[in-house]
Each structure stands twice: as structure tokens, then as C-alpha cells.
């Protein structure tokens, strides 16, 4: 990326307050104005200067950096009022994209978005990842990512970086999965570079539920600033959004709703505890209670029984057909989900809940049971109208992971220089 030379005797990468720091901050300020302008609005250099308080010359120089980096482009003419000539508008270059990826217990998924968050490509593949080696799972995901990257490039979109969502506690700085009980992974450092070799921004790892919560925050029309996002997969995850910001706690692991104890003398959980929410409301637990046998892969042989999507379809068919076991399983899951949510909303002082994953798919039956449970255990705290279904569906985690990398680029566009 082109940049002006620092003042004589002033290091470009010096102490806070150096010319380099100031320029990087101003670059992010300009980038943010362009990135966050309303849809269909293309700010001019003059408008950015007026909004930021920077001089027109400074804005022009910073915009040149962004143009040379290829992350912003000029588009059309934008009238600036009655006086003066129309200016050239600016927007994020749609020829750039981010890759969002997800590893879950029974599938892998990947998708490419543009920098505005529009999903351009997506593909999911069902496979049983329980107790599979991280290397094998990452190799399969790398193959899927390579295919999507090639398809994106064929459409004229270059992938700048990526985000990987995993259903477990993660340490992003070391790319380590601290624990993912349903995968059987503990203290596993992943080779993120293998997923997207040679991309300019690398790949960052995220907790799956947190990533999905961020996607919910970004894509919900007129969404609330505070909500508890509940992710239903084989396990149950949670993401907490307060003041339109993801709350992760001091160590980044807040929101582990699936391991809130709802039955003290209940079933053993994959986390080592007993009676956790996911033992009654996780996908496997509901399907088993409904009398539907989930698919399992043994010794790399073709899986027997219905796949994940087939199991959910069978469950829905059974419920719609009035099957007593299926209805009881779903209502029971909704009841215990309410027990966990009741404690959480009291503790966090929030009153809005968003359901994702299989909770959204089963929303017609889960929501009444959840509302009834909340009316018992947290009366008046979460009203039926405060419970909603995911706005982004199954793509939430990969959209959130990709979107988080876009956000990091907007906040620090100078990273493309390194």
C-alpha cells in the first residue's frame, strides 16, 4: 500500500503518537466512513473530510492508499449540493472477499462473502467429525475451501482472508482449540495456514456460537442491542450481545449455555459434568428421545442410518404427523432450554432471546415450550414477543467469522501493507 514518507527522524512504526500511528488511525477512520455508509450511498472525498474533520488533502492521500491497496474503488458521481461540481463516490471494492468456514460435529461448511457481507458462495458437507483427528478434519475443510476459492476467483473475487468457527473454547492468538467436547478435541493447535494458503490477512479462529451471534447482530433488521443468542447443533452454544457488542468475558469464554446444569441428577455430558442443557436439548438428545437413530461412522465405513439433515427431516415429519414421542422430546427440550435461559437472562439483565440451529428449525414447537418455561422460572423477564428465530439460518457461524475478519480489516486497513 502506498503511503507518504514519515517526517525526518520519526520512525514509521514508533511509539504511540508517532506519525505512523496517526496515519494508521486516520486511514482506519476514512475506511470506516466508506465501509459504514448506508447502502447505495457513495461518499466523496469532500464528504469524508467534512465528516471526519480531516483536511481534504489528507483524505485524498489516505483514499489513494486504499485505492492502491485495491480495497476501495471509485464509482460514479455523487452530487455534493447546489454548489461545486459532483464528486467521485467511493465504495468497498466488490472484487474482494472473505472466506467464512465452520467445523461442526457432523458437517463442515464454507462460504465466501464480499466486504459488504453479501454471501456469494456457500457449500456444506456432512461428515462425522466426532473424535476425528484435527488434521483429517482440517484437510477436508482445506479441500472445500480451495474449491470455493477457485470458484470465487473465477467470478473475479479474490479472497483476502478467512475466519474459522469451531464448536468449542478457542484461543485465537495461538489457533488453539482449548476444548471442544463434542469433537473430542482438547488443547489442539490447528494449522490455519493450510486452509487458505497465501491469503493476505491469514485465517482467524472463533467460537461457533459467538460468530453466529455476531452475524445475528449484523444481519437482523432493526435488531436489539442486547440479546442472548442460542445455537442448537449436536451441542448447544450461546453468544451474549450487550450494547451491540459481543460479551466474551475476561478469558473469552462467556456464553457456554449448553453446559448450564438443568438436571442435577441428569445424564452424563461430553464435558464431564452431568445434567447439562445439551443432554436434553442438543440435537442428538432430541432425536434419540424421539426414537430416531442418528447416523454414525465406524472405522471409516459408509455411515449407517439417517444423516443429520435426514434426521431433522424425519423429526419434523414425525412432529407434523402427531407422533407422541417426537412431540414430547421437543417440548421437553424447550422446557429445559427455558430453565437455562431463565438463569442467564437474570444474571445478564437482558430480555431478548434469538434461537439458531435446530432450535430455529423446530421453532414452531420449541418457542411455545420455551415461553411457558420462562413464564415459570423468570416471569415477566422474557415475553413471547422477545423470542425470535435466527435471521441468518445455518450460515450464521461462517457469516460471523467472515464478517469479523472484515471488521478487523476496516479497523486496521494498514494490515494489508504487512
Amino acid at each position: 500500500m502506498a503511503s507518504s514518507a514519515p517526517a525526518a527522524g520519526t520512525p514509521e512504526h514508533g511509539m504511540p503518537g508517532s506519525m505512523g500511528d496517526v496515519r494508521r488511525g486516520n486511514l482506519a477512520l476514512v475506511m470506516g466512513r466508506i465501509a459504514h455508509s448506508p447502502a447505495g450511498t457513495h461518499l466523496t472525498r469532500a464528504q469524508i473530510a467534512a465528516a471526519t474533520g480531516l483536511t481534504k488533502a489528507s483524505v485524498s492521500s489516505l483514499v489513494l492508499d486504499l485505492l492502491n491497496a485495491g480495497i476501495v474503488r471509485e464509482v460514479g458521481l455523487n452530487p455534493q449540493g447546489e454548489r461545486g461540481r459532483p464528486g467521485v463516490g467511493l465504495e468497498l471494492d466488490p472484487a474482494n472477499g472473505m472466506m467464512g468456514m465452520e467445523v461442526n460435529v457432523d458437517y463442515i461448511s464454507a462460504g465466501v462473502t464480499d466486504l459488504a457481507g453479501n454471501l456469494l458462495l456457500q457449500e456444506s458437507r456432512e461428515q462425522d467429525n466426532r473424535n476425528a483427528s484435527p488434521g483429517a478434519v482440517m484437510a477436508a475443510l482445506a479441500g472445500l475451501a480451495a474449491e470455493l476459492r477457485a470458484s470465487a476467483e473465477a467470478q473475479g473475487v479474490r479472497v483476502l482472508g478467512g475466519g474459522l468457527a469451531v464448536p468449542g473454547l478457542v484461543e485465537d492468538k495461538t489457533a488453539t482449540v482449548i476444548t471442544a467436547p463434542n469433537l473430542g478435541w482438547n488443547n489442539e493447535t490447528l494449522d490455519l495456514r493450510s486452509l487458505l494458503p497465501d491469503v493476505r490477512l491469514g485465517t482467524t479462529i472463533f467460537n461457533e456460537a459467538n460468530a453466529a451471534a455476531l452475524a445475528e447482530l449484523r444481519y437482523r433488521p432493526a435488531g436489539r442491542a442486547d440479546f442472548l443468542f442460542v445455537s442448537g447443533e449436536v451441542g448447544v452454544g450461546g453468544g451474549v450481545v450487550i450494547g451491540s457488542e459481543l460479551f466474551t468475558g475476561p478469558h473469552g469464554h462467556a456464553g457456554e449455555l449448553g453446559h448450564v446444569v438443568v438436571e442435577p441428577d441428569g445424564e452424563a455430558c461430553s464435558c464431564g459434568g452431568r445434567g447439562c442443557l445439551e443432554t436434553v436439548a442438543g440435537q442428538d438428545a432430541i432425536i434419540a428421545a424421539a426414537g430416531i437413530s442418528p447416523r454414525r461412522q465406524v472405522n471409516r465405513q459408509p455411515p449407517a442410518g439417517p444423516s443429520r439433515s435426514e434426521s431433522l427431516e424425519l423429526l419434523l415429519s414425525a412432529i407434523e404427523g402427531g407422533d407422541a414421542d417426537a412431540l414430547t422430546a421437543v417440548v421437553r427440550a424447550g422446557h429445559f432450554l427455558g430453565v437455562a435461559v431463565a438463569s442467564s437472562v437474570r444474571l445478564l439483565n437482558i430480555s431478548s432471546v434469538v434461537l439458531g440451529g435446530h432450535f430455529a428449525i423446530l421453532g414452531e414447537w420449541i418457542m411455545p415450550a420455551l415461553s411457558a418455561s420462562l413464564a415459570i422460572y423468570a416471569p415477566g423477564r422474557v415475553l413471547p414477543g422477545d423470542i425470535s428465530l435466527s435471521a441468518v439460518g445455518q450460515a450464521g457461524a461462517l457469516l460471523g467469522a467472515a464478517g469479523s475478519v472484515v471488521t478487523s480489516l476496516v479497523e486496521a486497513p494498514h494490515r494489508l501493507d504487512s
Side-chain angles (χ1 to χ4, degrees):
M1 180 188 302
S3 63
S4 61
T10 304
E12 174 71 9
H13 301 284
M15 298 294 289
S18 72
M19 288 292 290
D21 289 324
V22 171
R23 188 169 183 83
R24 287 193 292 273
N26 288 341
L27 192 67
L29 185 61
V30 171
M31 178 74 168
R33 286 289 174 175
I34 297 170
H36 299 138
S37 59
T41 300
H42 303 123
L43 298 180
T44 66
R45 292 164 175 80
Q47 288 171 327
I48 293 171
T52 61
L54 298 173
T55 66
K56 293 181 180 179
S58 292
V59 170
S60 293
S61 175
L62 294 164
V63 167
L64 181 60
D65 285 359
L66 298 174
L67 290 169
N68 289 338
I71 52 177
V72 164
R73 72 172 183 176
E74 296 178 326
V75 55
L77 294 176
N78 187 8
Q80 299 179 49
E82 296 181 0
R83 292 186 177 184
R85 293 177 299 176
V88 177
L90 300 163
E91 70 174 3
L92 298 179
D93 192 334
N96 295 308
M98 293 292 180
M99 178 87 71
M101 295 163 282
E102 181 183 4
V103 169
N104 221 301
V105 178
D106 47 7
Y107 66 90
I108 57 174
S109 183
V112 177
T113 74
D114 61 20
L115 298 188
N118 300 304
L119 185 60
L120 308 176
L121 299 164
Q122 180 191 3
E123 185 173 344
S124 295
R125 292 179 182 171
E126 293 187 351
Q127 63 179 51
D128 195 339
N129 295 320
R130 293 173 179 84
N131 301 312
S133 73
V137 175
M138 293 290 281
L141 183 58
L144 176 58
E147 293 179 18
L148 284 183
R149 187 177 179 184
S151 296
E153 290 174 351
Q155 296 180 22
V157 178
R158 59 174 179 169
V159 175
L160 297 179
L164 169 64
V166 178
L169 304 182
V170 302
E171 169 52 59
D172 62 332
K173 293 181 180 179
T174 60
T176 299
V177 178
I178 299 171
T179 180
N182 290 309
L183 289 174
W185 294 0
N186 292 287
N187 295 315
E188 297 284 356
T189 299
L190 305 183
D191 181 11
L192 298 183
R193 293 182 181 179
S194 68
L195 297 176
L196 295 170
D198 305 321
V199 293
R200 298 172 73 181
L201 297 177
T203 301
T204 307
I205 192 169
F206 302 91
N207 168 268
E208 169 264 331
N210 284 344
L214 286 172
E216 210 63 42
L217 178 65
R218 178 172 187 175
Y219 291 91
R220 288 187 73 76
R224 297 212 176 180
D226 312 297
F227 62 87
L228 173 65
F229 177 78
V230 185
S231 172
E233 299 288 347
V234 169
V236 176
V240 180
V241 173
I242 298 176
S244 296
E245 297 285 343
L246 181 69
F247 175 74
T248 59
H251 301 293
H253 303 153
E256 281 294 286
L257 189 72
H259 299 291
V260 170
V261 176
V262 295
E263 279 191 307
D265 298 317
E267 297 290 329
C269 180
S270 61
C271 73
R274 300 192 72 86
C276 296
L277 175 61
E278 71 177 43
T279 66
V280 289
Q283 178 181 293
D284 281 359
I286 296 174
I287 288 173
I292 299 170
S293 299
R295 179 173 70 167
R296 288 291 184 271
Q297 189 176 49
V298 180
N299 296 327
R300 300 185 179 276
Q301 297 301 310
S307 68
R308 168 182 174 274
S309 57
E310 291 167 345
S311 294
L312 287 173
E313 289 174 3
L314 289 171
L315 178 62
L316 284 170
S317 295
I319 295 170
E320 291 166 351
D323 182 88
D325 288 341
L327 285 167
T328 298
V330 172
V331 170
R332 184 169 183 263
H335 170 79
F336 283 110
L337 178 59
V339 174
V341 169
S343 298
S344 299
V345 297
R346 286 185 184 277
L347 186 65
L348 298 168
N349 191 31
I350 57 180
S351 59
S352 182
V353 179
V354 180
L355 303 179
H358 66 254
F359 294 133
I361 294 172
L362 300 170
E364 181 180 343
W365 301 275
I366 284 281
M367 289 177 72
L370 171 59
S371 295
S373 182
L374 285 168
I376 296 171
Y377 300 110
R381 296 305 298 265
V382 181
L383 302 177
D386 296 321
I387 304 172
S388 59
L389 304 182
S390 170
V392 292
Q394 292 297 111
L398 65 85
L399 282 173
S404 293
V405 182
V406 173
T407 297
S408 70
L409 174 61
V410 171
E411 293 175 347
H414 69 273
R415 291 173 59 202
L416 287 177
D417 243 349
S418 58

